[in-house]
Amino acid sequence: MNTQEARQVIFEVLGDIAPEVDPSIVDDDLDLTEQLDLDSMDYLNWMVGINEVTGIDIPQREVSRFLTIAGAVGYIVEHSS
Amino acid sequence: MIDFLLPSLGADMDVAKLNCWLVKPGDTVHKGQIIAEVETEKATLEVECWHDGVIEELLVEPGPDRLPVGTLLARIRSLDEAAEPVAPLEGEPAAGLVTAAAVPTHKVSGQPPPPVRHLAHELGVDLAALGGSGPDGAITRDDVRRAARAPAAEAPEPFVSRPTRVRATPRARSLARSRGIDLASLPATGPQGMVSAGDVARTAPSPETIDEPDDKVSAMRRAIARSMSHSKREIPHYYLATTIDLDRSMTWLEAANEERSVTQRILPAALLIKATALAAREVPEVNGHWVGDGFAPSQSVHLGVAISIREGGLVAPALHDADRLSLDELMSRLRDLVSRARSWRLKSSEMSDPTITVTNLGDRGVDTAFPVIIPPQVAMVGFGKVIDSPVAVDGAVVVHPVVTASLAADHRVTDGHNGGLFLASIDRLLQEPENL
């Protein structure tokens, strides 16, 4: 999966949790939970959704990479076959 | 014959619109089965049936009329009850009646016994299309099983079809459901060959209900206003709070989550909720309802969970029997409950059954919550943000994660003493997370 495909997955799943979010205004490097007012359940459901779509697990120790879009994209690209 | 009434829909929710029926006359229904969908100011609710039986008659058509709680919606015949006298097979059913009499009956005289009808319903077999191999041509369970194994092409189309699972993203599923579109009919241009939200949006006609969330939010605001005004007017609240050391809980949770995949992960909120549910069982004076002029304790702990809606407002549906769920079950149900609440899809019993409610405002950076009790409940628990704080342990000052647990309770039912015992129970239970 390349960067563009990873972004598509990320925002597709995010759209189910925060439908009003416009991807074009999300800053890739800022804390996602603060930018989008996500609570811990939203955040977990987002990661579970990414796992369901891509099959990539996200261990607890890697969760911090998903605090930003850039981190999440990097993780998905690295771990997709 | 059982009267199926529009059930209670939660605090100050006394009317609803019937959106649709999910069953038809002649269908076998089971306790807990969703048989209708109604809409209140707060949510679209799936209405469960609380009896096993056969739908005899649907008495209300779906439509915009606002029906009061208690409205007779349908009649259900219990499984061991003979059918209402119906027109003889050779006769014509009475015109205009939407009853079981209008449903085709099987070829031989007399209904098959309930176990056969039940099995036929379970396997999706139409008894009317079956010949019987039993005595006098009676349809047997083996006849039903044989029919169920027959090629699908021969099977009658079920009333509620079960589409095969189409690969689609969660957002696409949600959109398709809200717009009434069959995912199988859409092109799949999304990631991994899935149907994407864009595929749905391109295919679906512009929804006329585009402003619906706003309408729902304002309706929800009115419902909250009624309920909270009622609470502050009628309930003499008292408030208590205590700081709980979460070092053991968080250490245990971190180790437990390290071994788990993301789908199995447990959030701290699950521990707080489970501890509250167990404490409510230990101090039953906080668990129940104020009815008329007195307190009616509940034998079960149906823990309401305050869930904020992104568009504004909140709902507090029940996690049924929260004290009896394992942490994994509780977490799984909590995730499901939050997802359904935020997509406006809850069950009627989830809105009417809470016996005590928890609000967790920690994610919003709040240190201490001062909850307002949801009538007719008599207590509500609030949790704030988990923060690192200096605490004294064995005479030394160390830094541990702590949370402030607060209680709003009804002074007509309990005093500060009971409330204090309740908060102390929550604290004690959180010191033994492995036993939650």
Side-chain angles (χ1 to χ4, degrees), chain B residues 2-5 7-8 29-35 46-53 76 320 347-350 352-353:
Chain B
I2 301 156
D3 286 344
F4 177 71
L5 310 177
S8 167
V29 292
H30 305 285
K31 189 176 176 186
Q33 182 178 337
I34 310 294
I35 66 170
E46 295 173 331
V47 182
E48 301 129 299
C49 167
W50 293 111
H51 305 276
D52 293 330
I76 299 172
H320 286 108
K347 295 175 187 167
S348 55
S349 62
E350 289 166 339
S352 61
D353 286 353

Side-chain angles (χ1 to χ4, degrees), chain B residues 213-229:
Chain B
D214 288 341
D215 296 340
K216 282 185 170 175
V217 169
S218 57
M220 175 180 280
R221 204 67 257 162
R222 287 195 297 274
I224 293 170
R226 267 204 313 277
S227 178
M228 295 296 95
S229 300

Side-chain angles (χ1 to χ4, degrees), chain B residues 16-330:
Chain B
K17 292 186 285 188
L18 177 62
N19 280 355
C20 64
W21 285 107
L22 302 174
V23 291
K24 66 181 188 309
D27 280 357
T28 303
V29 292
H30 305 285
K31 189 176 176 186
Q33 182 178 337
I34 310 294
I35 66 170
E37 186 182 280
V38 301
E39 192 168 327
T40 72
E41 285 178 320
K42 271 202 162 184
T44 300
L45 300 176
E46 295 173 331
V47 182
E48 301 129 299
C49 167
W50 293 111
H51 305 276
D52 293 330
V54 175
I55 299 290
E56 185 78 19
E57 198 175 1
L58 302 178
L59 297 164
V60 177
E61 292 283 332
D65 294 343
R66 293 154 69 86
L67 308 168
V69 166
T71 299
L72 179 59
L73 297 178
R75 290 188 202 281
I76 299 172
R77 174 164 38 90
S78 60
L79 286 175
D80 53 359
E81 193 178 348
E84 284 278 282
V86 298
L89 289 178
E90 59 272 20
E92 293 291 325
L97 278 182
V98 188
T99 69
V103 176
T105 48
H106 58 95
K107 290 174 180 170
V108 295
S109 60
Q111 288 263 12
V116 175
R117 298 205 303 270
H118 178 75
L119 182 65
H121 180 81
E122 289 283 300
L123 299 177
V125 171
D126 181 5
L127 289 170
L130 278 191
S133 65
D136 298 326
I139 298 171
T140 66
R141 289 163 69 90
D142 283 344
D143 293 330
V144 174
R145 290 195 190 97
R146 266 194 298 278
R149 285 195 295 269
E154 293 175 16
E157 189 180 337
F159 179 68
V160 179
S161 64
R162 292 189 177 182
T164 52
R165 182 84 174 166
V166 175
R167 280 171 57 78
T169 64
R171 173 69 179 145
R173 277 188 199 290
S174 168
L175 264 185
R177 191 173 59 230
S178 69
R179 298 186 185 182
I181 296 164
D182 182 4
L183 282 169
S185 67
L186 300 177
T189 67
Q192 316 283 301
M194 293 178 167
V195 177
S196 71
D199 294 332
V200 180
R202 278 190 293 278
T203 306
S206 283
E208 336 142 345
T209 53
I210 199 138
D211 292 324
E212 193 181 351
D214 288 341
D215 296 340
K216 282 185 170 175
V217 169
S218 57
M220 175 180 280
R221 204 67 257 162
R222 287 195 297 274
I224 293 170
R226 267 204 313 277
S227 178
M228 295 296 95
S229 300
H230 174 192
S231 176
K232 279 292 188 177
R233 193 171 55 240
E234 301 287 333
I235 302 176
H237 288 63
Y238 69 88
Y239 297 93
L240 303 173
T242 191
T243 301
I244 298 176
D245 187 337
L246 287 183
D247 187 53
R248 287 171 190 249
S249 280
M250 298 304 279
T251 302
W252 179 86
L253 190 60
E254 201 170 307
N257 279 336
E258 195 58 42
E259 307 295 320
R260 293 163 178 263
S261 73
V262 67
T263 55
Q264 302 297 317
R265 200 152 296 153
I266 297 174
L267 293 176
L271 268 66
L272 301 177
I273 286 171
K274 182 69 189 292
T276 304
L278 289 173
R281 197 164 72 189
E282 290 181 10
V283 185
E285 295 87 352
V286 297
N287 184 56
H289 300 126
W290 181 267
V291 183
D293 280 332
F295 173 60
S298 172
Q299 298 302 312
S300 307
V301 180
H302 301 316
L303 199 89
V305 182
I307 299 169
S308 62
I309 306 298
R310 285 191 74 80
E311 295 92 339
L314 84 162
V315 288
L319 276 174
H320 286 108
D321 297 306
D323 57 325
R324 298 180 193 280
L325 301 175
S326 70
L327 263 185
D328 285 317
E329 288 171 328
L330 190 147

